[in-house]
Amino acid sequence: MFFQTVLFSLITFITGADSIGSAHKAELLFAGDAMQHQAQLDRAKELGGGKEYDYSDCFTLIAPTVTKADYAVCNLEVPLGGGPDYTGYPCFSAPDSYAEALKDAGFDMMLTANNHCLDRRDKAARRTLKALDRIGLDHIGTYHDAAQRDSLVPFIKDIKGFKIGFLNYTYGTNGILPREGAEIALIDKDRMAKEIALTKKAGAEIIVVAMHWGIEYVLLENGVQRNLADFLVNQGVDLIIGGHPHVIQPMKVVRNEKEGKDVLVVYSLGNFISNMKTADTRGGALVRATIVRDKDGKARFSHADYDTFFSAKPAGGKSNFKIIPSWMPEHIPAGQKAHWEIFDRGAQKIFDRHNVNVPRRHK
Protein backbone atom coordinates (compact mmCIF):
# COMPACT_ATOMS: atom_id res chain seq x y z
CA MET A 1 0.00 0.00 0.00
CA PHE A 2 2.93 2.38 0.66
CA PHE A 3 4.23 2.11 -2.89
CA GLN A 4 0.68 2.40 -4.27
CA THR A 5 0.19 5.62 -2.31
CA VAL A 6 3.49 7.03 -3.54
CA LEU A 7 2.57 6.15 -7.13
CA PHE A 8 -0.80 7.87 -6.91
CA SER A 9 0.76 10.94 -5.32
CA LEU A 10 3.25 11.15 -8.19
CA ILE A 11 0.52 10.77 -10.83
CA THR A 12 -1.56 13.41 -9.08
CA PHE A 13 1.39 15.81 -9.10
CA ILE A 14 1.99 15.24 -12.82
CA THR A 15 -1.58 15.16 -14.18
CA GLY A 16 -3.74 16.86 -11.58
CA ALA A 17 -6.29 15.53 -9.11
CA ASP A 18 -9.33 15.86 -11.39
CA SER A 19 -7.96 13.49 -14.01
CA ILE A 20 -7.03 10.97 -11.33
CA GLY A 21 -10.57 11.03 -9.98
CA SER A 22 -12.09 10.40 -13.40
CA ALA A 23 -9.63 7.69 -14.40
CA HIS A 24 -9.50 5.65 -11.23
CA LYS A 25 -13.06 4.49 -10.73
CA ALA A 26 -15.12 1.40 -11.45
CA GLU A 27 -18.86 0.90 -11.79
CA LEU A 28 -20.48 -2.26 -10.40
CA LEU A 29 -24.01 -3.19 -11.44
CA PHE A 30 -26.35 -5.49 -9.53
CA ALA A 31 -29.68 -6.99 -10.65
CA GLY A 32 -32.13 -9.14 -8.74
CA ASP A 33 -33.65 -12.60 -9.03
CA ALA A 34 -33.37 -14.32 -12.41
CA MET A 35 -36.24 -16.82 -12.35
CA GLN A 36 -37.45 -19.47 -14.79
CA HIS A 37 -41.09 -20.34 -14.28
CA GLN A 38 -42.80 -22.98 -16.38
CA ALA A 39 -44.33 -20.44 -18.77
CA GLN A 40 -40.86 -19.03 -19.44
CA LEU A 41 -39.48 -22.48 -20.15
CA ASP A 42 -42.41 -23.35 -22.41
CA ARG A 43 -42.04 -20.14 -24.41
CA ALA A 44 -38.26 -20.51 -24.80
CA LYS A 45 -38.74 -24.08 -26.01
CA GLU A 46 -41.43 -23.02 -28.45
CA LEU A 47 -39.17 -20.30 -29.88
CA GLY A 48 -36.33 -22.80 -30.05
CA GLY A 49 -38.30 -25.11 -32.30
CA GLY A 50 -39.15 -27.65 -29.62
CA LYS A 51 -35.59 -28.90 -29.17
CA GLU A 52 -33.57 -25.88 -28.05
CA TYR A 53 -34.43 -23.14 -25.54
CA ASP A 54 -34.20 -19.68 -27.10
CA TYR A 55 -33.68 -16.68 -24.78
CA SER A 56 -32.07 -14.44 -27.40
CA ASP A 57 -34.69 -11.68 -27.17
CA CYS A 58 -35.11 -11.53 -23.39
CA PHE A 59 -32.37 -9.04 -22.54
CA THR A 60 -31.68 -7.07 -25.71
CA LEU A 61 -33.03 -3.75 -24.37
CA ILE A 62 -31.28 -3.92 -20.99
CA ALA A 63 -28.03 -5.39 -22.32
CA PRO A 64 -26.37 -2.06 -23.24
CA THR A 65 -26.82 -0.84 -19.66
CA VAL A 66 -25.48 -4.08 -18.18
CA THR A 67 -22.58 -4.27 -20.60
CA LYS A 68 -21.57 -0.67 -19.88
CA ALA A 69 -20.80 -1.53 -16.25
CA ASP A 70 -17.30 -2.69 -15.42
CA TYR A 71 -18.68 -5.74 -13.60
CA ALA A 72 -22.30 -6.93 -13.46
CA VAL A 73 -23.83 -9.37 -10.96
CA CYS A 74 -27.16 -11.23 -10.99
CA ASN A 75 -28.85 -13.76 -8.69
CA LEU A 76 -29.31 -17.03 -10.60
CA GLU A 77 -32.29 -18.46 -8.73
CA VAL A 78 -32.48 -21.71 -10.68
CA PRO A 79 -30.20 -24.74 -10.84
CA LEU A 80 -28.93 -25.66 -14.30
CA GLY A 81 -30.16 -29.23 -14.06
CA GLY A 82 -29.03 -30.54 -17.43
CA GLY A 83 -32.45 -31.73 -18.61
CA PRO A 84 -34.21 -33.13 -20.38
CA ASP A 85 -37.02 -32.34 -17.91
CA TYR A 86 -36.74 -28.66 -17.05
CA THR A 87 -39.28 -27.40 -14.53
CA GLY A 88 -40.55 -24.21 -12.96
CA TYR A 89 -41.92 -23.57 -9.48
CA PRO A 90 -41.71 -25.09 -6.92
CA CYS A 91 -38.56 -27.04 -7.84
CA PHE A 92 -36.71 -25.16 -10.54
CA SER A 93 -34.36 -26.48 -13.22
CA ALA A 94 -33.33 -24.45 -16.27
CA PRO A 95 -31.25 -25.11 -19.38
CA ASP A 96 -27.69 -23.87 -19.78
CA SER A 97 -28.81 -21.56 -22.59
CA TYR A 98 -30.53 -19.40 -19.97
CA ALA A 99 -27.22 -18.66 -18.24
CA GLU A 100 -25.59 -18.20 -21.64
CA ALA A 101 -28.17 -15.51 -22.45
CA LEU A 102 -27.42 -13.75 -19.16
CA LYS A 103 -23.74 -13.74 -20.06
CA ASP A 104 -24.52 -12.42 -23.54
CA ALA A 105 -26.49 -9.63 -21.85
CA GLY A 106 -23.30 -8.53 -20.11
CA PHE A 107 -23.39 -10.22 -16.73
CA ASP A 108 -20.06 -11.32 -15.28
CA MET A 109 -21.09 -13.11 -12.06
CA MET A 110 -23.95 -15.34 -10.93
CA LEU A 111 -24.91 -15.57 -7.26
CA THR A 112 -25.94 -19.16 -6.48
CA ALA A 113 -26.62 -19.15 -2.73
CA ASN A 114 -30.41 -18.90 -2.60
CA ASN A 115 -33.36 -20.90 -1.33
CA HIS A 116 -33.77 -22.75 -4.66
CA CYS A 117 -30.15 -23.84 -5.17
CA LEU A 118 -30.90 -27.40 -3.95
CA ASP A 119 -34.22 -27.80 -5.81
CA ARG A 120 -32.67 -30.65 -7.81
CA ARG A 121 -30.48 -31.77 -4.92
CA ASP A 122 -26.69 -31.99 -4.77
CA LYS A 123 -26.24 -33.30 -8.30
CA ALA A 124 -27.83 -30.28 -9.99
CA ALA A 125 -26.19 -27.84 -7.57
CA ARG A 126 -22.81 -29.21 -8.57
CA ARG A 127 -23.71 -29.37 -12.25
CA THR A 128 -24.68 -25.68 -12.11
CA LEU A 129 -21.15 -24.78 -11.04
CA LYS A 130 -19.61 -26.84 -13.85
CA ALA A 131 -21.96 -25.27 -16.40
CA LEU A 132 -21.13 -21.74 -15.24
CA ASP A 133 -17.42 -22.55 -15.46
CA ARG A 134 -17.91 -23.81 -19.01
CA ILE A 135 -19.90 -20.72 -19.98
CA GLY A 136 -17.27 -18.46 -18.44
CA LEU A 137 -19.33 -16.85 -15.68
CA ASP A 138 -17.91 -16.18 -12.24
CA HIS A 139 -20.00 -17.61 -9.40
CA ILE A 140 -20.06 -17.64 -5.60
CA GLY A 141 -22.28 -19.01 -2.83
CA THR A 142 -22.39 -22.75 -3.50
CA TYR A 143 -19.56 -25.26 -3.83
CA HIS A 144 -18.93 -28.89 -4.73
CA ASP A 145 -18.03 -29.57 -1.10
CA ALA A 146 -16.62 -27.92 2.02
CA ALA A 147 -13.05 -28.34 0.81
CA GLN A 148 -13.80 -26.42 -2.38
CA ARG A 149 -15.36 -23.61 -0.38
CA ASP A 150 -12.23 -23.37 1.72
CA SER A 151 -10.12 -23.23 -1.43
CA LEU A 152 -12.24 -20.67 -3.32
CA VAL A 153 -13.06 -18.27 -0.48
CA PRO A 154 -12.00 -15.52 -0.57
CA PHE A 155 -13.05 -14.70 -4.12
CA ILE A 156 -11.29 -11.49 -5.17
CA LYS A 157 -11.66 -9.94 -8.62
CA ASP A 158 -9.42 -7.29 -10.14
CA ILE A 159 -11.82 -4.76 -11.67
CA LYS A 160 -10.09 -1.82 -13.32
CA GLY A 161 -7.25 -2.06 -10.84
CA PHE A 162 -9.47 -2.41 -7.76
CA LYS A 163 -9.24 -5.63 -5.77
CA ILE A 164 -12.87 -6.37 -4.94
CA GLY A 165 -13.92 -9.31 -2.78
CA PHE A 166 -17.34 -10.94 -3.18
CA LEU A 167 -19.26 -13.14 -0.73
CA ASN A 168 -22.78 -14.60 -0.98
CA TYR A 169 -25.04 -16.12 1.70
CA THR A 170 -28.61 -17.43 1.94
CA TYR A 171 -31.01 -17.80 4.85
CA GLY A 172 -31.83 -21.37 3.82
CA THR A 173 -32.71 -23.85 1.06
CA ASN A 174 -36.45 -24.46 1.51
CA GLY A 175 -35.76 -27.24 3.99
CA ILE A 176 -33.81 -29.32 1.49
CA LEU A 177 -30.51 -30.43 2.97
CA PRO A 178 -27.41 -31.52 1.08
CA ARG A 179 -27.26 -35.31 1.08
CA GLU A 180 -24.00 -35.83 -0.79
CA GLY A 181 -21.78 -33.13 0.65
CA ALA A 182 -22.61 -30.12 -1.52
CA GLU A 183 -21.70 -26.93 0.33
CA ILE A 184 -24.10 -23.99 0.64
CA ALA A 185 -23.02 -20.69 2.18
CA LEU A 186 -25.69 -20.11 4.83
CA ILE A 187 -26.15 -16.94 6.86
CA ASP A 188 -24.07 -17.55 9.97
CA LYS A 189 -22.48 -14.58 11.71
CA ASP A 190 -19.42 -16.45 12.93
CA ARG A 191 -18.67 -17.94 9.51
CA MET A 192 -19.41 -14.66 7.77
CA ALA A 193 -17.08 -12.72 10.06
CA LYS A 194 -14.34 -15.27 9.44
CA GLU A 195 -14.70 -15.12 5.66
CA ILE A 196 -14.87 -11.33 5.61
CA ALA A 197 -11.65 -11.22 7.64
CA LEU A 198 -10.02 -13.72 5.25
CA THR A 199 -11.08 -11.60 2.30
CA LYS A 200 -9.51 -8.51 3.85
CA LYS A 201 -6.33 -10.39 4.70
CA ALA A 202 -6.08 -11.64 1.11
CA GLY A 203 -5.89 -8.05 -0.11
CA ALA A 204 -9.45 -7.03 -0.97
CA GLU A 205 -9.79 -3.25 -0.97
CA ILE A 206 -13.59 -3.35 -1.29
CA ILE A 207 -15.87 -6.10 0.04
CA VAL A 208 -19.29 -6.88 -1.44
CA VAL A 209 -21.65 -9.21 0.43
CA ALA A 210 -24.77 -10.46 -1.39
CA MET A 211 -27.51 -11.57 1.00
CA HIS A 212 -30.49 -13.79 0.22
CA TRP A 213 -32.79 -12.70 3.03
CA GLY A 214 -36.06 -11.03 4.01
CA ILE A 215 -39.75 -11.89 3.70
CA GLU A 216 -41.25 -12.56 0.30
CA TYR A 217 -43.56 -9.88 -1.16
CA VAL A 218 -42.93 -7.39 1.68
CA LEU A 219 -41.82 -3.98 0.40
CA LEU A 220 -39.87 -2.92 3.51
CA GLU A 221 -36.95 -4.62 5.21
CA ASN A 222 -37.50 -6.21 8.60
CA GLY A 223 -35.56 -6.16 11.86
CA VAL A 224 -33.58 -9.30 11.00
CA GLN A 225 -32.31 -7.69 7.79
CA ARG A 226 -31.41 -4.46 9.58
CA ASN A 227 -29.58 -6.39 12.29
CA LEU A 228 -27.58 -8.34 9.73
CA ALA A 229 -26.82 -5.19 7.76
CA ASP A 230 -25.52 -3.50 10.92
CA PHE A 231 -23.39 -6.55 11.64
CA LEU A 232 -21.89 -6.50 8.15
CA VAL A 233 -21.20 -2.76 8.33
CA ASN A 234 -19.36 -3.33 11.61
CA GLN A 235 -17.29 -6.05 9.92
CA GLY A 236 -16.03 -3.48 7.43
CA VAL A 237 -18.12 -4.48 4.40
CA ASP A 238 -18.54 -1.79 1.71
CA LEU A 239 -21.57 -2.96 -0.28
CA ILE A 240 -24.47 -5.11 0.95
CA ILE A 241 -26.77 -6.28 -1.85
CA GLY A 242 -30.01 -8.10 -1.01
CA GLY A 243 -32.44 -10.35 -2.82
CA HIS A 244 -35.17 -12.96 -2.26
CA PRO A 245 -38.40 -11.03 -1.49
CA HIS A 246 -39.25 -10.85 -5.25
CA VAL A 247 -40.20 -7.20 -4.71
CA ILE A 248 -38.04 -4.14 -4.31
CA GLN A 249 -37.04 -2.82 -0.90
CA PRO A 250 -35.20 0.40 0.06
CA MET A 251 -31.59 1.30 -0.66
CA LYS A 252 -29.57 3.32 1.82
CA VAL A 253 -26.10 4.78 2.18
CA VAL A 254 -25.10 4.44 5.83
CA ARG A 255 -21.99 5.55 7.66
CA ASN A 256 -19.38 3.30 9.22
CA GLU A 257 -18.09 5.78 11.78
CA LYS A 258 -15.40 3.45 13.06
CA GLU A 259 -13.72 3.26 9.67
CA GLY A 260 -14.86 6.65 8.44
CA LYS A 261 -16.54 5.44 5.25
CA ASP A 262 -19.92 5.20 3.56
CA VAL A 263 -21.55 1.80 2.98
CA LEU A 264 -24.27 0.93 0.48
CA VAL A 265 -27.13 -1.24 1.77
CA VAL A 266 -29.66 -2.54 -0.78
CA TYR A 267 -32.32 -4.58 0.98
CA SER A 268 -33.91 -6.11 -2.13
CA LEU A 269 -33.59 -5.59 -5.88
CA GLY A 270 -36.77 -7.55 -6.58
CA ASN A 271 -37.17 -9.79 -9.61
CA PHE A 272 -34.99 -9.46 -12.67
CA ILE A 273 -37.09 -11.65 -14.95
CA SER A 274 -39.96 -13.95 -14.00
CA ASN A 275 -43.55 -14.98 -14.70
CA MET A 276 -44.88 -13.70 -11.41
CA LYS A 277 -48.23 -11.96 -11.69
CA THR A 278 -48.87 -9.56 -8.79
CA ALA A 279 -48.09 -5.90 -9.50
CA ASP A 280 -45.11 -5.57 -7.15
CA THR A 281 -43.41 -8.65 -8.63
CA ARG A 282 -43.70 -7.59 -12.27
CA GLY A 283 -40.35 -5.79 -12.28
CA GLY A 284 -37.33 -4.89 -10.26
CA ALA A 285 -34.43 -2.51 -9.87
CA LEU A 286 -30.81 -2.43 -10.84
CA VAL A 287 -28.31 -0.49 -8.80
CA ARG A 288 -25.01 0.95 -9.96
CA ALA A 289 -22.30 1.54 -7.37
CA THR A 290 -19.20 3.58 -8.12
CA ILE A 291 -15.87 2.72 -6.54
CA VAL A 292 -13.13 5.38 -6.55
CA ARG A 293 -9.56 5.72 -5.42
CA ASP A 294 -8.65 8.70 -3.26
CA LYS A 295 -5.55 10.81 -3.78
CA ASP A 296 -3.81 8.74 -1.12
CA GLY A 297 -4.49 5.56 -3.13
CA LYS A 298 -7.25 4.21 -0.87
CA ALA A 299 -10.27 2.58 -2.54
CA ARG A 300 -13.75 3.46 -1.30
CA PHE A 301 -17.41 3.30 -2.25
CA SER A 302 -18.35 6.73 -3.60
CA HIS A 303 -22.02 6.78 -4.62
CA ALA A 304 -24.86 4.76 -6.13
CA ASP A 305 -27.99 5.22 -8.18
CA TYR A 306 -30.79 2.97 -9.40
CA ASP A 307 -33.25 2.43 -12.20
CA THR A 308 -36.30 0.22 -12.56
CA PHE A 309 -37.40 -2.12 -15.32
CA PHE A 310 -40.47 -4.16 -16.21
CA SER A 311 -40.60 -7.90 -16.94
CA ALA A 312 -42.97 -8.06 -19.90
CA LYS A 313 -44.74 -11.24 -20.89
CA PRO A 314 -44.87 -12.45 -24.51
CA ALA A 315 -47.11 -10.28 -26.66
CA GLY A 316 -47.76 -12.55 -29.61
CA GLY A 317 -45.74 -13.44 -32.65
CA LYS A 318 -42.19 -14.51 -31.82
CA SER A 319 -41.90 -12.34 -28.72
CA ASN A 320 -40.52 -13.77 -25.50
CA PHE A 321 -40.50 -12.66 -21.88
CA LYS A 322 -38.50 -9.43 -22.04
CA ILE A 323 -36.86 -6.93 -19.70
CA ILE A 324 -37.97 -3.41 -20.60
CA PRO A 325 -36.11 -0.50 -18.94
CA SER A 326 -38.39 2.11 -17.38
CA TRP A 327 -36.80 4.75 -19.62
CA MET A 328 -38.03 2.87 -22.72
CA PRO A 329 -41.80 2.77 -22.07
CA GLU A 330 -42.52 2.77 -25.80
CA HIS A 331 -41.44 -0.89 -25.86
CA ILE A 332 -44.00 -2.03 -23.29
CA PRO A 333 -46.78 -4.07 -24.97
CA ALA A 334 -50.03 -2.13 -25.15
CA GLY A 335 -51.92 -4.65 -23.05
CA GLN A 336 -49.35 -4.50 -20.23
CA LYS A 337 -48.89 -0.73 -19.81
CA ALA A 338 -51.28 -0.57 -16.88
CA HIS A 339 -49.32 -3.34 -15.10
CA TRP A 340 -46.07 -1.46 -15.72
CA GLU A 341 -47.49 1.81 -14.41
CA ILE A 342 -48.78 0.16 -11.22
CA PHE A 343 -45.43 -1.54 -10.63
CA ASP A 344 -43.33 1.53 -11.32
CA ARG A 345 -45.48 3.91 -9.27
CA GLY A 346 -45.38 1.51 -6.34
CA ALA A 347 -41.61 1.08 -6.54
CA GLN A 348 -41.06 4.82 -6.90
CA LYS A 349 -43.23 5.48 -3.85
CA ILE A 350 -41.12 3.14 -1.70
CA PHE A 351 -37.83 4.53 -2.98
CA ASP A 352 -38.93 8.16 -2.59
CA ARG A 353 -40.03 7.59 0.99
CA HIS A 354 -37.29 5.31 2.26
CA ASN A 355 -34.13 5.54 0.15
CA VAL A 356 -31.23 7.39 1.70
CA ASN A 357 -28.80 9.03 -0.74
CA VAL A 358 -29.52 6.57 -3.57
CA PRO A 359 -31.30 8.57 -6.32
CA ARG A 360 -32.92 7.41 -9.53
CA ARG A 361 -30.75 7.93 -12.60
CA HIS A 362 -33.55 8.32 -15.16
CA LYS A 363 -36.50 10.43 -14.04
Side-chain angles (χ1 to χ4, degrees):
M1 181 61 78
F2 171 77
F3 292 106
Q4 188 178 57
T5 301
V6 171
L7 176 62
F8 271 82
S9 297
L10 178 61
I11 297 174
T12 303
F13 175 77
I14 295 172
T15 63
D18 289 343
S19 62
I20 293 299
S22 62
H24 292 277
K25 65 180 181 179
E27 183 179 87
L28 309 182
L29 180 146
F30 301 91
D33 304 334
M35 314 296 294
Q36 270 297 284
H37 293 97
Q38 193 62 50
Q40 294 171 272
L41 291 164
D42 292 344
R43 185 58 171 167
K45 187 174 183 179
E46 179 184 357
L47 293 173
K51 294 183 179 180
E52 304 294 331
Y53 287 77
D54 184 358
Y55 298 97
S56 57
D57 194 43
C58 293
F59 310 114
T60 52
L61 295 180
I62 200 73
T65 299
V66 177
T67 303
K68 186 178 178 181
D70 296 306
Y71 197 74
V73 181
C74 183
N75 174 44
L76 182 65
E77 196 149 355
V78 288
L80 303 176
D85 56 331
Y86 299 112
T87 54
Y89 183 82
C91 287
F92 292 106
S93 179
D96 295 359
S97 56
Y98 181 49
E100 291 167 355
L102 289 166
K103 182 185 179 181
D104 290 344
F107 284 102
D108 302 287
M109 171 183 277
M110 295 290 110
L111 306 172
T112 59
N114 54 65
N115 57 305
H116 287 288
C117 63
L118 286 176
D119 278 5
R120 289 296 189 92
R121 308 306 193 268
D122 298 52
K123 182 178 180 180
R126 288 176 170 143
R127 189 195 176 280
T128 300
L129 305 181
K130 293 178 180 178
L132 294 176
D133 286 338
R134 179 186 60 79
I135 293 167
L137 280 164
D138 294 337
H139 53 86
I140 56 171
T142 60
Y143 308 90
H144 288 273
D145 51 33
Q148 188 189 52
R149 180 178 182 177
D150 289 340
S151 69
L152 296 181
V153 176
F155 179 94
I156 299 176
K157 193 78 175 180
D158 189 312
I159 303 170
K160 292 188 71 174
F162 294 90
K163 292 183 178 180
I164 302 180
F166 292 86
L167 295 162
N168 176 209
Y169 303 95
T170 179
Y171 74 92
T173 54
N174 291 344
I176 303 172
L177 300 178
R179 296 178 180 176
E180 300 171 15
E183 176 74 5
I184 314 299
L186 298 174
I187 293 173
D188 175 279
K189 286 185 176 180
D190 290 339
R191 185 66 183 263
M192 290 159 64
K194 177 184 176 182
E195 292 185 338
I196 292 167
L198 285 172
T199 304
K200 288 182 182 178
K201 186 176 180 180
E205 302 175 278
I206 297 291
I207 298 179
V208 181
V209 177
M211 299 289 285
H212 207 72
W213 60 2
I215 305 300
E216 290 181 327
Y217 317 120
V218 177
L219 290 163
L220 295 176
E221 78 278 8
N222 59 26
V224 173
Q225 288 168 279
R226 289 191 293 270
N227 177 273
L228 284 167
D230 290 344
F231 168 79
L232 292 170
V233 170
N234 290 332
Q235 298 300 311
V237 169
D238 298 277
L239 279 72
I240 302 164
I241 308 295
H244 171 63
H246 301 302
V247 296
I248 60 91
Q249 291 180 345
M251 310 170 181
K252 303 179 181 183
V253 175
V254 303
R255 189 70 176 170
N256 180 335
E257 296 293 351
K258 182 173 66 175
E259 297 189 17
K261 66 180 183 181
D262 288 336
V263 179
L264 174 65
V265 182
V266 177
Y267 283 107
S268 176
L269 289 167
N271 284 329
F272 182 53
I273 190 167
S274 80
N275 186 43
M276 289 189 174
K277 296 177 173 59
T278 59
D280 292 333
T281 65
R282 289 295 304 273
L286 57 83
V287 65
R288 285 160 291 213
T290 298
I291 308 301
V292 300
R293 196 176 294 284
D294 288 337
K295 297 175 184 178
D296 63 359
K298 183 176 177 61
R300 64 176 176 85
F301 159 70
S302 172
H303 61 276
D305 60 36
Y306 76 92
D307 270 317
T308 60
F309 48 80
F310 182 70
S311 184
K313 300 180 188 298
K318 293 187 177 181
S319 66
N320 202 340
F321 289 81
K322 191 163 188 173
I323 298 298
I324 302 180
S326 61
W327 59 95
M328 296 182 180
E330 68 275 12
H331 291 280
I332 295 173
Q336 299 180 49
K337 288 185 177 179
H339 298 282
W340 166 68
E341 290 172 353
I342 294 171
F343 160 74
D344 205 57
R345 282 200 303 266
Q348 190 67 62
K349 183 177 179 181
I350 291 294
F351 290 142
D352 285 348
R353 286 185 177 182
H354 300 283
N355 274 21
V356 177
N357 293 328
V358 185
R360 188 168 190 162
R361 180 172 290 194
H362 293 91
K363 293 186 177 181

